[in-house]
Amino acid sequence: KEFFSVCCFFLTVFGAYLMSRDTRASSVDTMEDNPGFVNNKLPSIDLLALPPHVDHVLLDLDDTLYQVAEFPQGMLNHITEYMVNHLDFAQDSVMDHASRLYANHGTTLAGLCVEGNHNINFKHWHDNIHGPLPYHKLQRDERLLDILRSIPPHIKKYVFTNADDEHCRRCVKKLGLDEEGLLDGYITFETLNPHPTSSEAEKAVGHRNICCKPLNEAFLKAMEHAMKHSASTGDLLPERFLFVDDSRRNVLASAKLGLHTVFVGDANALSDHPEHEHPHAVVKSIHELPHVLSTPNLKLLG
C-alpha cells in the first residue's frame, strides 16, 4: 500500500511537470530537461552560453560558489552569541529573535538595526560573525574556475553578497577565484552600506535600514555599481543581468525585477510559488551552471 501511494505521488508530480513545460517563459530548466544531458554527465564547458542581451553576471557567495556545512551553521552560532554577549538578548530566546529578524528583514543585522535601538559597529559585527569561520575547509575549485574562464570576456562577472568585503575576499582567494581577469569585482555589504555604524547611517540617510538582498534597492544598487565599475554603456536594464543565488527569496525577488535568474538548490523549495515568479533555471550545484545556460529555453528568454 505504501509503495502504491509513493508511485501515485510520483506520477502526479511527473504529470504536473509535463504540463508546466508548455509555458516557455515561466518554465524552470533543471539538469534533466536537456536532451543533450546524457548519462548524468555535465556537458562540455564549450557549450556555455548566456541569454541574449546579458553582459553582466552577479554571483552570490556563501552556499552558491561553495557549499561547506560548517559555514552556515558557524555563522548562525556566531550571530546568536553576538546578540547575547553584545546586545543583551536572553540565551533562551535569542534563536527565535534571530530567525524572526532574518525572515522579516533579509538579514539578522538588518533586523537588529530596524527594530532595535543598538548602535552596531558593522566591522565589529562582521569580524565576530565571519572571522572565526573555518576558512581552511575551503579548497581551490578547478571546475568552478573552468566555468568562469569559459564566460566570454566582454561579459562582466561580479560576486554579489550580503557579507562583508573581507569575508568575500578570503573565500574568493581560498577557492582560487582571485586569478587575474577571472572576476571583475565584488559587491559586498560595504558597497551597499558605506557608513561604519548604524547610528552614522541613520544620521546620513534618516533611517536605520540596511540595504541587502532581497530588497529591490540592493539589486538596483548592485546593477548600477556593476555597470559603472565596468564602464558599460547603454541603459540599466534588468535583462542585461544574470543572477545566481541559493536563497529562494533572493532569486524570486530578482526574477520579479526582470533579471535572468538561476536558483542553486532544490526545485521543490519553489513549489509554493506561482510559476510566473520562478527563476529561469534550477541547479543543485554551481557546477551544473554550464548545462542550464546551454539549454534552448534559457537562450530564448529576454
Side-chain angles (χ1 to χ4, degrees):
K1 182 177 179 180
E2 184 178 54
F3 175 76
F4 178 77
S5 299
V6 171
C7 290
C8 289
F9 170 76
F10 279 108
L11 285 172
T12 301
V13 171
F14 183 65
Y17 161 75
L18 290 177
M19 291 177 65
S20 70
R21 288 173 63 94
D22 293 338
T23 306
R24 174 179 60 80
S26 61
S27 66
V28 175
D29 293 318
T30 63
M31 285 291 290
E32 289 75 17
D33 292 339
N34 190 343
F37 179 62
V38 181
N39 297 328
N40 292 325
K41 293 181 179 179
L42 287 167
S44 166
I45 294 293
D46 294 338
L47 291 178
L48 188 62
L50 287 165
H53 314 304
V54 166
D55 53 8
H56 296 81
V57 177
L58 304 177
L59 301 159
D60 177 52
L61 177 63
D62 301 315
D63 293 323
T64 296
L65 292 185
Y66 73 90
Q67 295 175 339
V68 175
E70 290 89 343
F71 271 63
Q73 187 57 55
M75 290 179 203
L76 179 59
N77 292 341
H78 301 156
I79 286 171
T80 55
E81 289 170 7
Y82 191 98
M83 292 171 66
V84 170
N85 296 334
H86 298 284
L87 303 177
D88 297 326
F89 280 82
Q91 183 69 57
D92 59 354
S93 61
V94 66
M95 185 63 73
D96 290 338
H97 284 296
S99 299
R100 180 184 58 79
L101 293 170
Y102 175 82
N104 292 343
H105 299 282
T107 67
T108 304
L109 174 58
L112 287 168
C113 291
V114 172
E115 294 189 15
N117 191 28
H118 312 289
N119 182 24
I120 300 175
N121 181 294
F122 297 141
K123 186 179 187 308
H124 187 255
W125 168 275
H126 289 123
D127 285 348
N128 280 269
I129 306 310
H130 296 128
L133 291 172
Y135 289 96
H136 65 278
K137 297 271 187 178
L138 298 179
Q139 303 294 325
R140 182 179 176 88
D141 189 336
E142 294 295 343
R143 178 69 182 177
L144 180 55
L145 285 167
D146 286 343
I147 291 171
L148 294 177
R149 290 185 190 118
S150 71
I151 297 176
H154 73 277
I155 295 172
K156 305 305 179 182
K157 304 172 290 293
Y158 291 85
V159 175
F160 177 26
T161 175
N162 282 336
D164 62 297
D165 190 76
E166 183 176 351
H167 170 69
C168 177
R169 291 177 185 274
R170 290 181 73 176
C171 291
V172 163
K173 185 173 182 178
K174 283 289 187 178
L175 294 169
L177 306 183
D178 56 343
E179 176 184 301
E180 185 175 355
L182 198 63
L183 293 168
D184 294 280
Y186 314 113
I187 301 168
T188 64
F189 178 89
E190 289 86 350
T191 312
L192 304 178
N193 304 277
H195 304 287
T197 70
S198 54
S199 291
E200 290 184 60
E202 183 177 20
K203 290 177 184 177
V205 298
H207 57 71
R208 287 174 169 264
N209 288 6
I210 294 295
C211 183
C212 62
K213 297 179 286 185
L215 298 178
N216 287 351
E217 179 189 3
F219 290 106
L220 292 173
K221 280 189 175 182
M223 291 188 288
E224 289 172 358
H225 176 86
M227 288 193 64
K228 182 177 180 179
H229 185 269
S230 58
S232 299
T233 58
D235 296 332
L236 193 162
L237 301 172
E239 56 263 34
R240 296 181 65 175
F241 290 81
L242 175 73
F243 175 60
V244 185
D245 200 305
D246 70 290
S247 165
R248 179 180 70 167
R249 60 182 177 177
N250 289 349
V251 294
L252 293 174
S254 60
K256 282 184 178 181
L257 279 177
L259 286 77
H260 299 278
T261 53
V262 177
F263 175 54
V264 181
D266 187 347
N268 291 327
L270 306 167
S271 60
D272 59 342
H273 285 266
E275 282 191 6
H276 70 274
E277 295 180 1
H278 280 188
H280 298 120
V282 176
V283 295
K284 292 181 180 178
S285 162
I286 193 71
H287 295 159
E288 297 176 1
L289 195 60
H291 169 80
V292 296
L293 294 183
S294 66
T295 59
N297 279 357
L298 195 59
K299 284 183 181 179
L300 290 171
L301 289 172

